[in-house]
Amino acid sequence: MIPFLILLVLEGIPLLHLEFAIGQRLRKGSMDVWRTINPYMMGVGLASMCVSLLVSLYYNTIIAWVLWYFFNSFQEPLPWSQCPVNANRSGFEQECERSSPVDYFWYRKTLNITTDIDQTGGLQWWMVLCLISAWAVLYVCCIRGIETTGKAVYVTSTLPYVVLTIFLIRGLTLKGSVSGLVFLFTPDLNELANPATWLDAGAQVFYSFSLAFGGLISFSSYNSIHNNCEQDAVIISIINAFTSVFAATVIYTIIGFRATQRFDDCLGGNILTLLNTFDLPEGNITESNYDLALESLSATNPSIVNGLNLQTCDLNTFLTEGVEGTGLAFIVFTEAITKMPLAPLWSVLFFVMLFCLGLSSMFGNIEGVLAPLQDLKVFPKSWTKEAISGVTCLLCCCIGLIFVQGSGNYWLALFDSFAGSIPLLITGFCEMVGVVYVYGMDRFNEDLVFMIGHKPNIFWQATWRVISPLIMLVIFLFYFVTTISKEFFYIAWDPESAKFPTLEQKPYPAWIYVIIFILAGIPSLAVPGAAIFRALWKRCRKI
């Protein structure tokens, strides 16, 4: 939370204002803006388009997952509230019994996940249908352009506050919610010293504002030339900061509840094992005296205790595991929903909220793809907006089928880790440098005086000129130096693992590093690549 808030102020707000202002002043799409500033900077627009495309591919898959859960919410009881019976009806499915109903529904019934990324597992037809539905809904919202999108955002942006408030009230009544809040607001010095933490926080700032995707520049070009873009940036930033803290508070009350429940189950299992092994009366070992009893038994019977393979029960470990990956929405919150009265109602509300949030984010992402395609004249001039949007959405849907295979979740995590972090940081850095040092700070100040009536104050001047670019450069360099020689891992659901149901960490196969370069390297290299290509092209024309 601390890195996020720091970067929100020193990186997010200045870049948000800059994108609003440059789009509003030049009144062009994200590609033409940079071509107007300097023809050699067209690569910034290309990089934004590449990132928007890559993020859109997997982000709409998350919306497809949301639709699947939404459709399954109209049942009593909810299908993830209890384990299904096995094939011969002699008991419950073993994989579910060894994990939990919510884990089983997510990994087996929703994803039907493979044990590693090398195994495709084939297309899951139910998720294919949900993916097609997600792209169809997005297309319908896009075919009318900015007018329809703006009206839709009124709904998609306000409903989540209502649902989050309901979940906060419920979350605070659950056991362990305070532990989650303490974990959220307690600084971890080791994490603060980790460059990856700052990169993740920076990426989250970019995602929360939709910075460097190109969509904001395109949207702001529709504003009145004298619209107060500085005021818009400040208001949106305050709302964004409040929303982030508010949403994190809600999330960590639920994470605290689930972690406490897992801690209690872990401790209870160890206590039961000790009672049965040493034939102790019930109540002899409790949660309050567990540590003392274990120490005493270990001192008197060390060989027996060591042979029991007792689980390590640490609340902080369970809290940390509760915040990784897509499991936050589809495991942690779904489990909390099952504890509520009228669970199907809360489930419907929750997934409607997620759908609205995802759809509102996709508006900016897909605009960051469509506007550059039109600027580059990729499609014939005779094609209508509806046709261009339709073909783009159809192609994206076809490529997105990679995420609805059995190994799709691993591919989505790969895209999320590499397509939506380093490229965004580099694109944001180039945007800042391009406006301040290529377009010219004095010229930009004059534009702002013309548009809003006054020159930006010292905060804007300092962050645009030095602070923001320097922060982005330092984060990138530290991350690059510390990770360039590291081996990359992914987490896998493997029922055959000795540690199951704990997710197993596996190294990526060697060929994945080519994919990583494509995801992170090509968008990043688009900026210098486009400049070099233009220079060579001009040189060849002279010859």
Side-chain angles (χ1 to χ4, degrees), residues 60 63-64 67 128-143 355 359 362-363 389-390 392-394 396-397:
N60 226 29
I63 297 179
L67 287 175
V128 172
L129 293 178
C130 289
L131 183 67
I132 293 172
S133 301
W135 280 106
V137 171
L138 181 65
Y139 170 68
V140 170
C141 292
C142 286
I143 55 177
F355 180 77
L359 194 61
M362 278 300 298
F363 290 150
S389 300
T392 303
C393 288
L394 179 61
C396 288
C397 183

Side-chain angles (χ1 to χ4, degrees), residues 152-161 356-357 360:
V153 167
Y154 283 117
V155 177
T156 60
S157 297
T158 53
L159 179 63
Y161 289 101
C356 290
L357 287 172
S360 62

Side-chain angles (χ1 to χ4, degrees), residues 159-435:
L159 179 63
Y161 289 101
V162 177
V163 179
L164 282 174
T165 302
I166 295 170
F167 271 90
L168 177 62
I169 295 171
R170 175 56 180 164
L172 290 172
T173 65
L174 298 173
K175 180 184 178 183
S177 60
V178 175
S179 299
L181 294 178
V182 170
F183 182 81
L184 170 63
F185 292 107
T186 301
D188 186 336
L189 296 180
N190 291 327
E191 284 297 318
L192 292 176
N194 185 358
T197 300
W198 291 89
L199 179 68
D200 291 341
Q204 186 57 42
V205 169
F206 277 80
Y207 274 110
S208 65
F209 283 119
S210 292
L211 297 171
F213 286 98
L216 288 180
I217 293 176
S218 298
F219 284 141
S220 62
S221 68
Y222 293 94
N223 286 339
S224 165
I225 192 66
H226 294 294
N227 175 64
N228 193 337
C229 53
E230 180 182 291
Q231 178 179 285
D232 290 348
V234 172
I235 291 174
I236 289 173
S237 300
I238 292 172
I239 295 173
N240 188 294
F242 166 77
T243 303
S244 299
V245 174
F246 181 54
T249 302
V250 177
I251 290 167
Y252 274 85
T253 58
I254 305 299
I255 287 176
F257 157 70
R258 187 171 191 263
T260 301
Q261 193 174 52
R262 292 179 66 190
F263 176 77
D264 290 344
D265 291 343
C266 176
L267 209 59
N270 286 355
I271 290 172
L272 186 61
T273 301
L274 291 173
L275 292 177
N276 292 337
T277 301
F278 293 98
D279 197 23
L280 298 172
E282 186 176 349
N284 187 272
I285 303 176
T286 62
E287 290 185 11
S288 59
N289 68 355
Y290 170 78
D291 290 332
L292 290 174
L294 180 61
E295 184 179 347
S296 174
L297 291 171
S298 298
T300 55
N301 303 280
S303 58
I304 297 177
V305 173
N306 290 335
L308 294 177
N309 295 320
L310 297 175
Q311 298 181 67
T312 302
C313 304
D314 180 57
L315 183 59
N316 279 334
T317 301
F318 291 130
L319 286 167
T320 303
E321 290 175 352
V323 297
E324 293 181 352
T326 51
L328 179 63
F330 300 104
I331 295 178
V332 175
F333 266 86
T334 51
E335 184 170 10
I337 288 170
T338 61
K339 311 297 180 182
M340 297 180 176
L342 301 175
L345 173 63
W346 300 119
S347 183
V348 169
L349 278 175
F350 177 68
F351 288 108
V352 166
M353 178 196 75
L354 288 186
F355 180 77
C356 290
L357 287 172
L359 194 61
S360 62
S361 297
M362 278 300 298
F363 290 150
N365 289 346
I366 203 66
E367 182 67 21
V369 177
L370 294 174
L373 289 177
Q374 291 174 300
D375 292 343
L376 291 170
K377 298 179 175 57
V378 173
F379 298 101
K381 290 183 179 180
S382 59
W383 283 31
T384 62
K385 172 81 172 181
E386 289 81 0
I388 294 173
S389 300
V391 170
T392 303
C393 288
L394 179 61
L395 290 175
C396 288
C397 183
C398 292
I399 298 171
L401 291 175
I402 190 175
F403 302 115
V404 292
Q405 303 177 103
S407 59
N409 191 47
Y410 305 136
W411 283 98
L412 189 141
L414 183 73
F415 271 63
D416 187 40
S417 297
F418 296 101
S421 54
I422 287 295
L424 282 177
L425 203 65
I426 292 175
T427 304
F429 173 80
C430 292
E431 287 184 358
M432 196 79 75
V433 171
V435 171

